[in-house]
């Protein structure tokens, strides 16, 4: 398993214009795994709902979703959007699956302890998977970005992996 540790936190939200522009400029018919991580999605649950509405409007097939949060905040909009996405995946696939998605809480040495009240609210979701507090192994952290700058990885920096050779 390879893990990249993200950059510095920023107070920036995605806008409807950016989402509309993305869906308008790209012909997307199928998404194998829709993955959200980085930043804190619970702080802008309305945009998740907006993205899900765009996926449904464009009738894009989604295989599954994976969603990472820090567990510090609860968002009705985010849960509503994830429930809508779960129902859409099940409807579009024409079969019942045990798990069309996964909501995970980051519980490693780089995140604060999750709020117990938030975890209790999330436990009722069929796709919620609590992850026990753990420490990431240095061997699993890629040596790029903030992980490289902070010396968190034991791996050697190899910039050739970041660019496509022609």
């Amino acid at each position: 398993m390879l893990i990249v540790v993200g950059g510095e936190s920023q107070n920036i939200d995605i806008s409807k214009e950016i989402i509309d522009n993305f869906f308008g400029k790209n012909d997307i018919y199928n998404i194998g795994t829709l993955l959200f991580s980085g930043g804190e999605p619970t702080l802008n649950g309305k945009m998740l709902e907006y993205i899900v509405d765009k996926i449904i409007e464009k009738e894009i097939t989604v295989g599954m979703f994976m969603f990472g949060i820090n567990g510090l905040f609860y968002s009705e909009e985010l849960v509503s959007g994830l429930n809508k996405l779960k129902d859409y995946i099940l409807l579009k696939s024409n079969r019942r699956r045990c798990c069309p998605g996964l909501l995970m809480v980051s519980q490693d040495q780089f995140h604060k302890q999750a709020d117990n009240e938030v975890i209790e609210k999330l436990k009722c979701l069929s796709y919620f998977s609590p992850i026990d507090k753990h420490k990431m192994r240095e061997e699993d952290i890629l040596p790029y970005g903030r992980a490289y700058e902070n010396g968190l990885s034991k791996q050697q920096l190899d910039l050739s992996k970041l660019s496509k050779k022609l």
Side-chain angles (χ1 to χ4, degrees):
M1 171 189 277
L2 297 176
I3 299 168
V4 178
V5 178
E8 297 298 324
S9 62
Q10 300 176 36
N11 189 15
I12 300 172
D13 282 337
I14 194 167
S15 67
K16 288 182 178 182
E17 292 77 25
I18 291 171
I19 295 166
D20 290 342
N21 190 32
F22 174 80
F23 282 103
K25 288 186 175 183
N26 295 285
D27 291 327
I28 303 168
Y29 305 100
N30 184 46
I31 299 171
T33 301
L34 183 60
L35 172 65
F36 286 84
S37 74
E40 180 47 39
T42 57
L43 297 177
N44 196 356
K46 289 180 183 178
M47 287 301 103
L48 170 73
E49 275 195 298
Y50 191 75
I51 291 169
V52 170
D53 289 340
K54 283 290 180 186
I55 289 170
I56 293 170
E57 173 189 316
K58 300 229 173 237
E59 298 182 11
I60 299 169
T61 301
V62 178
M64 70 170 296
F65 66 87
M66 294 179 71
F67 216 89
I69 63 172
N70 65 18
L72 297 176
F73 309 100
Y74 182 82
S75 167
E76 289 290 342
E77 293 94 352
L78 181 111
V79 170
S80 174
L82 289 176
N83 283 333
K84 189 186 293 187
L85 182 57
K86 175 197 71 150
D87 293 343
Y88 175 73
I89 290 170
L90 291 174
L91 179 69
K92 191 96 167 143
S93 69
N94 285 327
R95 63 187 189 345
R96 291 286 172 210
R97 294 195 209 177
C98 64
C99 185
L102 192 58
L103 173 63
M104 303 165 290
V105 175
S106 300
Q107 292 288 286
D108 55 42
Q109 68 265 37
F110 303 109
H111 293 89
K112 293 180 182 175
Q113 178 66 37
D115 183 287
N116 288 332
E117 289 181 32
V118 171
I119 299 301
E120 285 303 313
K121 288 181 181 179
L122 296 174
K123 281 183 178 178
C124 69
L125 303 173
S126 62
Y127 48 86
F128 177 65
S129 178
I131 299 174
D132 292 331
K133 190 88 172 152
H134 67 280
K135 183 171 176 140
M136 278 195 255
R137 297 178 319 159
E138 291 179 27
E139 303 84 45
D140 293 338
I141 302 173
L142 293 177
Y144 303 104
R146 200 164 105 200
Y148 175 72
E149 293 166 10
N150 293 327
L152 299 175
S153 176
K154 288 187 174 180
Q155 296 185 43
Q156 294 297 314
L157 180 65
D158 182 359
L159 296 178
S160 68
K161 292 181 180 179
L162 295 178
S163 61
K164 193 181 214 180
K165 293 183 181 182
L166 300 175

